[in-house]
Amino acid sequence: MKTTLLPIAGVCILCGCGKAPEAPPASNAAPPLKSGIEIQYIDASVRPQDDFYKHINGKWLATTEIPPDKGRYGTFIQLRDEAEAKLHSIIDGLQKSVDPSDPDQQTIADLYFSFMDEPTLESLGTKPLDDEFAKIEAIKDKKEIAGLIAHFNEIGVAAPYNSFVHQDAKDSTKYVFDLQQDGLGMPDRDYYLLNDDKLKQARERYGQHIQKMFELTGDKAAAAKAKDIVTLETQLAKIQWTKVELRDPVKTYNKVEFPNLAGLAPNIDWNLYLADSGVQGKTDYLVIGEPSYVRGLNQLLQKTPLSTWKTYFRWRLLSDFSPYLSKAFVDEHFAFYGTALRGIPEDRPRWKRGIELVEGSIGEAMGKLYVARYFPPQSKARMDQLVSNLLAAYRADIDKLDWMSAETKQKAQAKLAKFTPKIGYPDKWRDYRALRIDKGDLVGNVIRAEVFEYDRNLNKLGKPIDRSEWGMTPQTVNAYYNPEMNEIVFPAAILQPPFFDPQADDAAIYGGIGGIIGHEISHGFDDQGSQYDGDGNLLGAPGWFTQADLDKFKEKTRALVAQYSVYEPIPGYHVNGELTLGENIADNAGLAIAYKAYKLSLHGAEAPQIDGMTGDQRFYAGWAQAFRGKERTDDEIVALKTDPHSPVAVRGTVPELNQDAFFDAYAIKEGDKMYVAPEKRVTLW
């Protein structure tokens, strides 16, 4: 039931192809290239020298309303809506007819039907959860809690800690079983611990929400139970690590062999947990992300009554499964998590929530159908070329960096040479034939899908690393860099205007999708990614840097933290420059390298003027329009507390301020509001 940063995809138009062919006769000439800039949204009343983001996007910002079922809206979400409509068309077709040679099609159709069958769900109430509630009530001793947590990890319900199987950061040839802090019902520990008015109000509403949910089950002690749960979760929040602390890959890597677990937390029955989680016999150690949290949880287990723990687990089960129950539970769940917490007036249409369930459960099966219908091979070829161009620009630029020594440059080039790009969709599709879906059993389907995925990951332990695996589906409007695999991954669905338009000139393409591809590549060299070598092994500081180079790098990143921390999108809520550091490094480095790649693509020629803009102007406009967007106040507060990305308006503004070419492109001079003195511009690449 769990459902990633920046979107990316790419397509290269004309780069390094040798001598250009002669132009064909005028009668057969191709239509002139578009600028790729959505000029209908430019606000000419705002000077680009004063507010570039508003100049490029001003008319859109002034006229666009956030849809009532969303907390935010913008370029990425518009593309997601388009992808969702395509998936809806596919699923509608499967409701009428499936190809018997592809068993995944029936699985998709039946899972979606089970979600859309509201009359059946209304007749059942909470009955589908009876067996799970019984497991909780059967606990007679706190030692048994470890087994229940293992079960909750398996079925996708939040618990005080959660488990993951992934590549071992210290040995990239192995998979590891990892435990991380979890179990809060609100977005972040700050919602429990800080006392500004917005967060205090969220706490009060959370308690009211818990009470209402228990009342819907007929529980007469709902108010007292709600109070106990908020108190217990507050205690959990106090011992949890902050989002900034969690960014440190060295501090969050703590290898513990099984016999030593009892010494860390003797009140947790580790033998029971390891047996019930299925990990016993598959490995002899695990990695604990936050040891002090586990020690604190050990004490909390001891001092908190068993009855309170059972109430807490009952709540976590009810809360996480409420979207799959009758309408009263669905509505109350949204009333808190949608409206009270994020300010969203209306829930999404049920068909969209049904698609989300299908994607979260059997996403690659959907992806296979999506790619066949909507992603032509030539698009993949163009993406391959553009990614290749950006990697080439990085190779050229590394050797020119004035802050990096020859020794570090050599190691940076070695890491870049081992980058693995993945474009569009996986080479092999996931096999879902073992997953059983019942049209009349939604909750059972959700549980079985979670168990299927849990077992699929658990079975990796002790086996070779599968480097062909994807962490996103092709229909995802997003992209990512995985430092443990040293891979950059660009799903198919991002290959759409305004990021990529095959009829557009190169400038906007490099400024939009090129900048985003550069963003993902640069994650291999940001404050976290730079601690991993080209094989995906975590080295820690200084890693493959010399200490002197690392000191120079940290000086630059400290300046970046200070630069972003000044921004205050909501009064009293600043951008957390430390939490967003990695993404801010990637935005700045990605845009800088994309600009250099664009200039290389011109082969010394002068870029044409289109729509009254020079090539450089269109390049930066392409970046600013890529981050066009609006957010509701409450939703933005959640993001400022939890999201490692800066708000879209900040992302669409600050990276340009650190590039000399931007000031030249728009003749920005001292006295203009966008002006930043050269010595205050933070340049990494």
Side-chain angles (χ1 to χ4, degrees), residues 537-560:
N537 292 302
L538 177 61
L539 305 174
W544 45 268
F545 278 77
T546 66
Q547 187 60 54
D549 289 348
L550 180 61
D551 291 342
K552 293 176 185 175
F553 181 66
K554 285 185 174 180
E555 183 179 352
K556 287 177 176 290
T557 60
R558 280 194 293 270
L560 209 61

Side-chain angles (χ1 to χ4, degrees), residues 657-673:
L657 298 180
N658 291 320
Q659 295 203 22
D660 294 345
F662 171 70
F663 291 86
D664 294 337
Y666 283 94
I668 300 171
K669 59 186 184 300
E670 194 168 359
D672 293 331
K673 293 180 182 178

Side-chain angles (χ1 to χ4, degrees), residues 142 266-268 296-306 309:
K142 289 182 187 178
N267 293 319
I268 297 174
L297 178 61
N298 178 71
Q299 297 175 1
L300 197 56
L301 276 168
Q302 184 178 32
K303 70 181 184 181
T304 304
L306 177 60
W309 280 114

